[in-house]
């Protein structure tokens, strides 16, 4: 048995050390069209303008995959792509940090022009860090002290990227940067019209020039986007066949979720993300529809209830800032009930602010608050709360505990959570009013007006905890519960206080990115998870699972911890 | 007559202006701005939001924004979409055909069916035919269009007779013109039916009612007394008088031709103006909303004018001098 294991381990090692890029050891057949449904079409093909998945999904097809310097596989490992290898990130003598990229030779853009260091330098210096071009990628690239990176060309196939201070995430973000063709994009930058570069009509004008596996060639508004295989894509599979295997890729725009489901059943689309309520139905009919259906790991997004520490009402401020009060709320949250009734069992409890799929997730240090109303009552007692003879909860100054919980109307899951939480809090003697409201109004009041008590809302997330900087940093614009008076003028500087744990968390977010040793970084994030779960400014609810369904004619599908059905679209094929 | 039309067109200008002011004010008063949808995204910083605000001109006072837009409109420029970074005119033009095909199809069919069945129903009043038609008409009026559309979609999926929505399939562009035409006509049936079923019923009830009214008039009785054939009595005397209210409705419904049908378009994934406007409204893409309002308003005013002119042409008693 041991021998078998050893052989297996060695052979695995061989495979890993031999795969010089993702897809090198792929096998498959050329040809076929993959059709994927999407609820709405692209708004733009310009990555600096794009801010929603319907656009970025399309952009990824021609700028992502082998179109970036490095690629990440389904388990979070980095592989060389356009950069054959790289040195760094490493510290420089002047206290800065550099990465040297050695580019793959002989790669061509889809229009036949050679890809060189000039394109990479142009993309970083003239597009992403250009002060005249607005893009959210610029925010991501900023290091602790707001420095932006700079690229210099060493020779045609070597580029040096430099930060004046260490920045841990540079490899990930710079390596994953989408690269623009200098010979096409340069004039748009010079004319200061880059925001109008590659609008959706550029597809039909055949203006898209790219390095990714599929090039968009036809766009019918609100109907579909058609891509054909990039004839100059640089990747080859095990037998030397040029990738991608698929001849065509189609995003079919199906504007209603019900129609999408029926289209999948009828074979008009090949991949579908079932809703929680549909999962069982598809699972039962796997054979009938000839599909594979599975659920995998928790999704990145988070849902939580948060309280306004700077409420205009002094009593409410006192409760919400009281850690025992928040712990009582955490103990009163029946997560099992939420999972069973609202997610059809397809979710798991969330305790940590770091996603469970992240390598930095640390269950050991995270404090959990399983549903227990007695413990909730004990916490309230510790916090100085008492009950009157009718069972109404009073605070230490005898004021009855009464507040509103809001969430956005129309989101059935959040409304359901609000109901479950509110009814438990009522059992604790609190007087709760549940108010569903318009999403935009709610966000505006949350950030700009401040007349709210408690809100149930969600945020997108990722495997890298630093992505939550805007939420956890003291001056973060999404630091809802305790917004800095410098950001929100409704917060009275006289009542604004920063507890110690908040200062420590802020420091963790500021400092971890300056550290290049992953082990130390892990310690930092462990400390963050400990502090956040002990003090719970955000009381997390549950994490839904990721649900997938695809036709069995689609081969090479590999779902992993971090990626879904399309992460290896350049070597998927159809039978 | 020419003078009358000229006067009506002249009145249109202040009319339109007032409507744009109202719509613009309403959009400004409604909570939130275009940038709100990005405020909850952890990856977008406050500086980026500020920069976007400036880039899109949203940092200027509403009045300035309005006159800037109006100035462009006078030069027939509908402005830029924040979301697509493209001229609004292009966005609308791309979807005009889809909207027009669907609306015209259901418009023509519902008018033909509505008027014909209305006449049949009136002539055979209180018979079994009339009652069956009445039941059909009322179910058409009562059935919400989204429900009907979903049922149709479900039937399409179960039988496989129709595709699940869409006007063009990825194959359409590779077909020859004739097959493409047949394919689109095929795809038009379900959304067309969903729209028609709701609208023909009202027309039918109107036609029936007004014809029945006229049939009781003295001059119809007189025509019969003169010994005229029943056919002539109905089609020359009764129907010509009964058609007036329908012509007024006809003018009014012309506006609907380009305003789109959000629900039907969304469920059947039809590429129309309704979806574009609705999305723009949700995302506060002001100029798209404004352009589509202006178009609808112009059509409504023009439609009413056409109705009035038709009325004068049909009914010699009506004079606009």
């Amino acid at each position: 048995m041991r021998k078998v294991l050893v052989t297996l381990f060695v052979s695995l090692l061989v495979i890993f050390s031999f795969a010089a890029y993702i897809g090198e050891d792929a096998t498959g057949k050329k040809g076929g069209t993959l059709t994927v449904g999407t609820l709405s079409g692209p708004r733009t093909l310009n990555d600096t303008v794009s801010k929603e998945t319907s656009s970025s999904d399309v952009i990824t097809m021609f700028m992502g995959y082998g179109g970036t310097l490095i690629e990440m596989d389904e388990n979070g490992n980095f592989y060389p792509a356009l950069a054959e290898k790289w040195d760094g990130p490493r510290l420089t003598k002047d206290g800065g940090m550099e990465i040297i990229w050695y580019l793959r030779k002989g790669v061509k853009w889809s229009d036949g022009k050679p890809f060189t260091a000039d394109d990479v330098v142009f993309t970083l210096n003239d597009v992403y860090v250009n002060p005249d071009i607005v893009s959210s990628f610029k925010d991501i690239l900023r290091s602790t002290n707001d420095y932006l990176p700079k690229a210099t060309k060493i020779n045609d196939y070597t580029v040096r990227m430099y930060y004046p201070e260490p920045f841990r995430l540079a490899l990930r973000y710079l390596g994953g940067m989408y690269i623009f063709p200098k010979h096409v994009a340069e004039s748009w930058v010079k004319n200061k019209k880059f925001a109008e570069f590659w609008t959706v009509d550029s597809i039909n004008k055949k203006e898209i020039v790219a390095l990714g596996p599929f090039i968009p060639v036809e766009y019918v508004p609100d109907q579909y986007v058609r891509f054909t295989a990039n004839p100059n894509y640089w990747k080859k599979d095990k037998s030397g066949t040029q990738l991608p295997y698929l001849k065509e890729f189609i995003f079919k725009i199906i504007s209603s979720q019900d129609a999408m489901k029926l289209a999948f059943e009828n074979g008009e689309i090949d991949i579908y993300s079932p809703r929680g309520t549909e999962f069982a139905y598809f699972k039962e009919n796997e054979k009938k529809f000839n599909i594979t259906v599975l659920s995998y790991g928790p999704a990145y997004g988070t849902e939580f209830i948060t309280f306004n520490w700077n409420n205009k009402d002094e009593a409410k401020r006192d409760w919400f800032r009281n850690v025992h009060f928040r712990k009582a709320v955490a103990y009163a949250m029946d997560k099992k009930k939420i999972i069973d009734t609202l997610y059809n069992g397809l979710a798991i409890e969330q305790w940590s602010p770091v996603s469970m799929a992240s390598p930095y997730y640390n269950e050991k240090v995270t404090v959990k608050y399983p549903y227990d109303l007695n413990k909730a009552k004990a916490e309230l007692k510790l916090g100085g709360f008492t009950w009157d003879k009718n069972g109404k909860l009073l605070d230490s100054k005898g004021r009855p505990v009464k507040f509103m919980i809001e969430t956005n109307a129309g989101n059935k899951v959040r409304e359901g959570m609000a109901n479950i939480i509110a009814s438990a809090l009522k059992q604790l003697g609190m007087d709760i009013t549940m108010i569903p409201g318009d999403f935009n109004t709610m966000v505006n009041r949350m950030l700009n007006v401040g007349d709210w008590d408690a809100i149930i809302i969600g945020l997108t997330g990722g495997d890298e905890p630093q992505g939550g900087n805007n939420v956890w940093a003291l001056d973060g614009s999404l630091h809802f519960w305790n917004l800095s008076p410098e950001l929100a003028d409704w917060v009275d500087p006289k009542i604004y206080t920063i507890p110690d744990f908040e200062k420590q968390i802020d420091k963790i977010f500021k400092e971890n990115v300056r550290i290049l040793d992953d082990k130390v970084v892990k310690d930092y994030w462990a400390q963050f998870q400990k502090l956040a779960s002990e003090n719970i400014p955000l009381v997390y609810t549950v994490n839904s699972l990721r649900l997938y369904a695809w036709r069995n004619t689609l081969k090479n599908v590999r779902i992993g911890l971090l990626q879904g059905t399309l992460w290896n679209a350049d070597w998927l094929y159809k039978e | 007559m020419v003078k009358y039309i000229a006067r009506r067109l002249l009145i249109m200008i202040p009319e339109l202006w007032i409507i744009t002011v109202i719509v613009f004010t309403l959009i400004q008063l409604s909570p939130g701005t275009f940038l709100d949808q990005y405020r909850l995204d952890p990856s977008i910083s406050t500086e980026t939001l500020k920069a976007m605000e400036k880039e899109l001109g949203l940092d200027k006072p509403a009045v300035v924004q309005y006159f800037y837009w109006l100035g462009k409109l006078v030069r027939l420029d509908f402005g830029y979409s924040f979301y697509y970074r493209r001229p609004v005119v292009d966005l609308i033009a791309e979807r005009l055909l889809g909207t027009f095909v669907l609306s015209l199809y259901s418009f023509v069919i519902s008018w033909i069916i509505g008027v014909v069945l209305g006449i049949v129903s009136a002539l055979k009043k209180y018979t079994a035919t009339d009652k069956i038609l009445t039941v059909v008409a009322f179910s058409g009026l009562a059935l919400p269009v989204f429900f009907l559309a979903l049922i149709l979609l479900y039937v399409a999926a179960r039988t496989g007779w129709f595709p699940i929505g869409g006007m063009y399939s990825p194959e359409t562009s590779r077909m020859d013109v004739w097959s493409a035409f047949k394919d689109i006509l095929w795809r038009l049936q379900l959304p067309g039916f969903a729209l028609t079923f709701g609208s023909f019923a009202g027309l039918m009830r109107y036609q029936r009612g007004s014809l029945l009214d006229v049939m009781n008039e003295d001059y119809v009785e007189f025509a019969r007394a003169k010994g005229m054939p029943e056919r002539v009595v109905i089609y020359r005397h009764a129907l010509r008088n009964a058609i007036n209210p329908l012509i007024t409705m006809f003018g009014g419904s012309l506006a609907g031709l380009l305003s789109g049908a959000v629900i039907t378009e969304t469920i059947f994934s039809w590429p129309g103006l309704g979806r574009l406007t609705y999305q723009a409204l949700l995302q506060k893409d002001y100029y798209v909303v404004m352009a589509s309002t202006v178009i609808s308003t112009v059509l409504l005013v023009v439609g009413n004018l056409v109705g009035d002119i038709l009325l004068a042409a049909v009914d010699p008693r009506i004079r606009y001098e």
Side-chain angles (χ1 to χ4, degrees):
Chain A
M1 186 64 199
R2 174 181 270 176
K3 210 169 180 183
V4 176
L5 276 179
V6 169
T7 333
L8 199 75
F9 185 69
V10 170
S11 60
L12 272 177
L13 222 106
V14 169
I15 290 173
F16 276 127
S17 55
F18 267 54
Y21 53 85
I22 294 178
E24 195 198 26
D25 50 1
T27 50
K29 266 202 323 241
K30 245 186 132 75
T33 301
L34 174 60
T35 310
V36 176
T38 168
L39 279 173
S40 73
R43 314 287 182 182
T44 173
L45 298 192
N46 182 335
D47 185 52
T48 62
V49 177
S50 145
K51 283 186 187 57
E52 60 289 307
T53 49
S54 58
S55 303
S56 57
D57 286 351
V58 170
I59 295 171
T60 308
M61 300 316 292
F62 66 90
M63 296 189 92
Y65 300 93
T68 51
L69 292 171
I70 53 175
E71 257 187 291
M72 197 201 265
D73 74 355
E74 78 271 40
N75 297 316
N77 306 306
F78 289 119
Y79 279 82
L82 285 175
E84 232 165 0
K85 58 184 171 96
W86 62 91
D87 289 335
R90 64 187 178 203
L91 299 175
T92 54
K93 277 179 208 131
D94 58 355
M97 188 196 79
E98 64 174 8
I99 307 175
I100 315 281
W101 304 99
Y102 301 96
L103 305 181
R104 204 172 281 279
K105 287 176 186 142
V107 176
K108 282 185 183 145
W109 288 93
S110 56
D111 64 353
K113 294 262 173 11
F115 159 74
T116 66
D118 289 327
D119 295 307
V120 180
V121 173
F122 164 78
T123 300
L124 185 64
N125 291 357
D126 296 350
V127 179
Y128 284 121
V129 305
N130 185 340
D132 295 334
I133 295 173
V134 182
S135 89
S136 55
F137 192 63
K138 200 187 290 174
D139 297 335
I140 289 172
L141 287 178
R142 273 182 218 284
S143 63
T144 318
N145 293 314
D146 272 353
Y147 289 117
L148 285 168
K150 192 127 193 86
T152 38
K153 175 180 167 180
I154 293 176
N155 62 42
D156 270 356
Y157 294 99
T158 316
V159 177
R160 175 179 186 256
M161 291 187 188
Y162 172 79
Y163 270 100
E165 64 179 335
F167 183 50
R168 175 171 67 84
L169 300 168
L171 179 75
R172 179 193 185 98
Y173 293 144
L174 292 172
M177 172 178 84
Y178 289 155
I179 296 166
F180 285 97
K182 187 181 181 188
H183 60 283
V184 180
E186 197 174 22
S187 61
W188 291 81
V189 175
K190 283 203 174 126
N191 298 334
K192 302 212 184 277
K193 286 196 126 186
F194 197 72
E196 287 156 42
F197 178 62
W198 281 355
T199 53
V200 280
D201 50 340
S202 61
I203 300 179
N204 291 332
K205 290 185 194 154
K206 308 268 188 284
E207 286 173 355
I208 305 290
V209 172
L211 296 163
F214 298 98
I215 307 293
V217 290
E218 188 189 4
Y219 166 61
V220 182
D222 292 343
Q223 297 291 286
Y224 62 87
V225 185
R226 185 206 304 275
F227 300 75
T228 54
N230 177 358
N232 294 332
Y233 194 54
W234 60 271
K235 279 190 192 177
K236 289 197 172 69
D237 76 352
K238 205 175 185 177
S239 59
T241 313
Q242 192 193 13
L243 296 176
Y245 289 129
L246 293 165
K247 202 171 118 242
E248 281 198 342
F249 184 92
I250 289 168
F251 268 120
K252 202 164 186 176
I253 303 159
I254 301 176
S255 43
S256 88
Q257 185 83 37
D258 297 295
M260 185 95 84
K261 174 180 169 247
L262 293 171
F264 180 63
E265 282 180 24
N266 266 25
E268 290 184 23
I269 54 176
D270 297 312
I271 294 176
Y272 179 65
S273 310
R275 289 175 281 191
T277 44
E278 295 159 357
F279 187 77
Y281 166 75
F282 278 116
K283 194 79 203 165
E284 280 161 21
N285 289 304
E286 263 188 323
K287 283 229 173 66
K288 185 180 152 204
F289 295 132
N290 193 24
I291 54 174
T292 305
V293 182
L294 65 86
S295 66
Y296 202 107
Y300 288 136
T302 54
E303 306 265 341
F304 50 81
I305 178 168
T306 185
F307 300 96
N308 184 3
W309 292 12
N310 295 313
N311 202 299
K312 297 209 167 58
D313 183 340
E314 195 196 338
K316 286 176 181 167
R317 281 205 301 272
D318 288 348
W319 315 326
F320 298 155
R321 285 178 182 177
N322 186 335
V323 66
H324 297 292
F325 173 85
R326 298 197 299 271
K327 280 185 182 170
V329 173
Y331 277 123
M333 191 187 289
D334 192 347
K335 295 187 180 181
K336 291 228 163 56
K337 193 169 169 191
I338 292 178
I339 293 170
D340 289 342
T341 57
L342 302 174
Y343 287 88
N344 291 57
L346 297 164
I348 41 179
E349 302 173 326
Q350 189 184 3
W351 307 104
S352 163
V354 173
S355 166
M356 277 170 267
S358 164
Y360 299 114
Y361 173 65
N362 190 329
E363 192 168 0
K364 267 183 276 167
V365 299
T366 306
V367 186
K368 296 182 179 177
Y369 304 88
Y371 176 63
D372 188 337
L373 285 182
N374 289 327
K375 279 195 180 153
K377 279 181 187 154
E379 284 292 344
L380 286 173
K381 264 181 211 151
L382 279 177
F385 292 86
T386 51
W387 286 268
D388 71 3
K389 58 181 186 302
N390 301 321
K392 288 252 174 291
L393 188 68
L394 305 174
D395 69 5
S396 53
K397 291 179 184 157
R399 296 168 296 199
V401 178
K402 180 181 176 181
F403 62 93
M404 295 188 295
I405 296 181
E406 295 174 65
T407 193
N408 52 315
N411 188 326
K412 290 273 172 318
V413 172
R414 279 189 201 152
E415 284 178 19
M417 279 189 213
N419 277 322
I420 290 173
I421 295 169
S423 74
L425 295 182
K426 279 177 193 161
Q427 285 184 52
L428 293 177
M430 300 185 194
D431 185 349
I432 309 284
T433 319
M434 216 277 273
I435 304 176
D438 170 65
F439 184 73
N440 284 339
T441 322
M442 195 172 86
V443 170
N444 186 40
R445 288 181 36 236
M446 201 169 174
L447 302 174
N448 305 327
V449 186
D451 59 342
W452 57 281
D453 298 339
I455 282 182
I456 296 177
I457 203 165
L459 285 176
T460 54
D463 59 314
E464 172 55 58
Q466 187 65 21
N469 186 38
N470 229 342
V471 181
W472 291 95
L474 287 174
D475 57 353
S477 57
L478 297 180
H479 199 80
F480 318 109
W481 61 95
N482 200 11
L483 275 169
S484 156
E486 278 163 33
L487 279 176
D489 39 14
W490 57 269
V491 177
D492 184 353
K494 270 176 250 147
I495 58 165
Y496 176 71
T497 55
I498 309 165
D500 271 349
F501 86 89
E502 286 238 275
K503 283 183 197 149
Q504 289 177 48
I505 289 180
D506 186 68
K507 212 170 139 202
I508 291 172
F509 272 90
K510 291 245 155 35
E511 281 177 7
N512 84 83
V513 285
R514 304 170 58 93
I515 292 158
L516 302 181
D517 181 355
D518 206 43
K519 283 206 189 76
V520 182
V521 174
K522 276 200 170 116
D523 291 341
Y524 269 78
W525 289 133
Q527 179 66 11
F528 164 56
Q529 291 172 76
K530 185 164 177 282
L531 287 168
S533 62
E534 275 170 359
N535 296 287
I536 46 174
L538 302 180
V539 185
Y540 289 102
T541 58
V542 300
N543 238 193
S544 62
L545 297 178
R546 292 140 58 207
L547 310 177
Y548 301 100
W550 65 90
R551 310 217 88 73
N552 287 337
T553 48
L554 186 66
K555 302 290 178 186
N556 279 351
V557 177
R558 286 192 200 176
I559 311 283
L561 205 53
L562 301 176
Q563 319 244 28
T565 30
L566 282 179
W567 76 272
N568 58 345
D570 48 353
W571 43 289
L572 289 175
Y573 71 100
K574 263 183 91 179
E575 256 180 5
Chain B
M1 192 68 178
V2 177
K3 229 166 117 188
Y4 171 76
I5 295 173
R7 204 171 64 224
R8 285 283 293 265
L9 288 175
L10 210 65
I11 294 173
M12 217 175 108
I13 295 170
E15 235 169 27
L16 254 179
W17 179 69
I18 292 170
I19 289 168
T20 60
V21 172
I22 293 174
V23 173
F24 195 86
T25 318
L26 281 178
I27 295 179
Q28 290 290 338
L29 286 180
S30 71
T33 70
F34 173 71
L35 294 172
D36 279 352
Q37 54 196 311
Y38 305 125
R39 286 192 211 281
L40 262 200
D41 185 337
S43 67
I44 298 178
S45 72
T46 330
E47 293 87 57
T48 304
L49 283 170
K50 286 239 168 64
M52 275 175 80
E53 196 171 39
K54 202 168 159 228
E55 192 181 18
L56 299 173
L58 289 170
D59 54 340
K60 300 196 177 64
V63 182
V64 177
Q65 285 182 45
Y66 173 74
F67 280 103
Y68 182 68
W69 173 80
L70 197 66
K72 277 186 162 177
L73 184 70
V74 175
R75 281 168 274 143
L76 285 180
D77 177 354
F78 282 93
Y80 263 72
S81 156
F82 300 151
Y83 221 53
Y84 289 86
R85 306 291 176 115
R86 290 178 64 199
V88 173
V89 175
D90 290 0
L91 290 174
I92 290 179
E94 281 171 356
R95 288 158 179 84
L96 216 51
L97 182 70
T99 296
F100 191 67
V101 165
L102 178 60
S103 320
L104 191 70
Y105 180 78
S106 87
F107 185 81
V108 169
I109 294 196
S110 56
W111 274 86
I112 293 174
I113 296 181
V115 169
V116 169
L117 290 187
I119 295 170
V120 170
S121 190
L123 295 181
K124 308 206 167 190
K125 63 174 174 179
Y126 309 137
T127 63
T129 320
D130 179 32
K131 278 179 183 144
I132 291 169
L133 286 175
T134 305
V135 168
V136 172
F138 277 120
S139 30
L141 281 174
L143 207 59
V145 67
F146 80 89
F147 188 62
L148 178 65
L150 281 176
I151 290 176
L152 290 174
L153 212 56
Y154 189 75
V155 170
R158 283 289 162 273
T159 58
W161 293 341
F162 291 97
I164 313 293
M167 178 177 172
Y168 309 94
S169 81
E171 290 81 42
T172 315
S173 61
R174 295 191 180 146
M175 295 174 180
D176 57 274
V177 177
W178 176 236
S179 320
F181 174 77
K182 276 195 297 188
D183 187 57
I184 291 175
L185 195 67
W186 191 235
R187 290 165 173 274
L188 186 58
Q189 295 312 308
L190 292 187
F193 181 79
L195 273 186
T196 309
F197 197 62
S199 56
F200 92 87
L203 291 169
M204 177 184 145
R205 296 298 299 172
Y206 256 102
Q207 178 67 64
R208 180 181 182 274
S210 81
L211 189 57
L212 280 181
D213 272 352
V214 173
M215 295 293 273
N216 292 331
E217 293 281 340
D218 290 345
Y219 58 82
V220 174
E221 205 64 25
F222 179 70
R224 284 209 182 104
K226 274 204 302 189
M228 278 186 164
E230 189 65 13
R231 199 170 48 84
V232 180
V233 172
I234 291 166
Y235 294 106
R236 189 158 302 160
H237 295 269
L239 203 56
R240 277 189 74 167
N241 286 299
I243 208 88
N244 280 6
L246 272 100
I247 285 177
T248 313
M249 274 178 76
F250 178 83
S253 57
L254 277 180
L257 277 182
L258 286 185
S259 61
V262 187
I263 298 171
T264 314
E265 281 172 13
T266 307
I267 294 178
F268 289 103
S269 307
W270 195 264
L273 283 176
R275 262 162 85 190
L276 180 76
T277 315
Y278 178 67
Q279 281 297 326
L281 203 58
L282 286 186
Q283 278 142 355
K284 312 266 169 199
D285 199 348
Y286 300 155
Y287 300 131
V288 177
V289 179
M290 294 297 287
S292 118
T293 316
V294 169
I295 292 174
S296 301
T297 317
V298 170
L299 275 176
L300 187 69
V301 177
V302 170
N304 274 330
L305 182 60
V306 169
D308 288 346
I309 294 168
L310 277 180
L311 217 51
V314 172
D315 193 336
R317 286 171 301 183
I318 295 171
R319 288 276 175 278
Y320 299 120
E321 292 306 336

